[in-house]
Amino acid sequence: MTDPADLRDLKNAARASAKVLRAEAAAGAGMECAEAVSRRVAGLLAGLSGPAVVAGYWPIGSELDVRPALSHLDLTGFVCALPVVAARGEPLLFRRWTPQSPMERTGLGILAPAAGEPEVEPDVLLVPLLAFDRAGFRLGYGAGFYDRTLERLRRVKPVTAIGIGFAAQEVETVPRDRYDQPLDWIVTETSALRISV
């Protein structure tokens, strides 16, 4: 069993190299990658029955931009949402989003729908990442927001977690512990990978 301090060091080293790889991938990418991911996400979700709630994210830095995917899903009848950081150590909240939604800076300075927008519970989460592996694990920023959120949601209902990133962000193995929640799919500009359990 890996010592927690050793695992923390492993994750921090992996984050440092993953940030460089993602920045390089983003610099050479352009909007065609976001459009390719949008098409793949739309294809995955086309078979869902009923008005599913899809939560995306407002991209930070070199994260792959899912706004084209969210805009397309909004036009095709899905309820879209963005995360809100309520407090450190707590699961994320989600507020309804459309391209016309008023936005504000929330916890950690991240843009999110304004406080008056209704809260919703997502059926599908588009999850940003620094790195991913084929076992369905992602490397995040270390605050644990998505792991806590997925753990909470999966206790009460079926939810699909789709990791979003560039193909260049794939690594052989993401360092992980028992708190890390696996993804159900990983979508990049080149493929949609279903994680078998």
Side-chain angles (χ1 to χ4, degrees):
M1 186 172 189
T2 307
D3 179 89
D6 291 341
L7 182 61
R8 185 173 58 249
D9 291 344
L10 273 174
K11 284 190 172 188
N12 286 338
R15 283 186 191 101
S17 61
K19 284 177 183 175
V20 172
L21 284 175
R22 188 179 69 185
E24 289 171 355
M31 278 309 291
E32 61 270 11
C33 285
E35 295 294 342
V37 164
S38 178
R39 288 190 297 275
R40 285 191 171 79
V41 168
L44 282 180
L45 302 185
L48 291 182
S49 59
V53 178
V54 180
Y57 57 89
W58 198 266
I60 302 168
S62 59
E63 289 176 347
L64 200 147
D65 192 349
V66 293
R67 289 174 294 184
L70 291 174
S71 294
H72 173 78
L73 293 170
D74 175 67
L75 285 173
T76 54
F78 288 86
V79 174
C80 294
L82 290 176
V84 177
V85 175
R88 286 188 184 272
E90 295 294 324
L92 297 165
L93 304 175
F94 296 89
R95 291 184 190 146
R96 180 145 190 197
W97 175 88
T98 72
Q100 295 76 39
S101 294
M103 303 287 283
E104 66 183 19
R105 294 215 178 267
T106 62
L108 307 181
I110 298 168
L111 277 174
E117 300 300 301
E119 286 188 19
V120 294
E121 285 277 276
D123 303 297
V124 177
L125 276 82
L126 306 181
V127 184
L129 48 81
L130 284 169
F132 67 89
D133 63 27
R134 290 192 170 242
F137 288 92
R138 65 181 275 277
L139 186 66
Y141 296 111
F145 287 115
Y146 278 97
D147 293 314
R148 287 186 196 90
T149 302
L150 284 168
E151 193 275 331
R152 180 185 70 80
L153 288 170
R154 285 171 169 163
R155 270 190 277 122
V156 297
K157 67 180 204 172
V159 63
T160 301
I162 303 173
I164 303 291
F166 298 101
Q169 292 176 257
E170 182 177 349
V171 297
E172 187 173 338
T173 305
V174 169
R176 62 183 183 261
D177 60 32
R178 63 189 179 97
Y179 300 107
D180 292 316
Q181 292 282 315
L183 301 165
D184 301 293
W185 288 85
I186 295 163
V187 173
T188 72
E189 77 278 18
T190 62
S191 66
L193 171 66
R194 183 170 193 165
I195 307 303
S196 55
V197 290

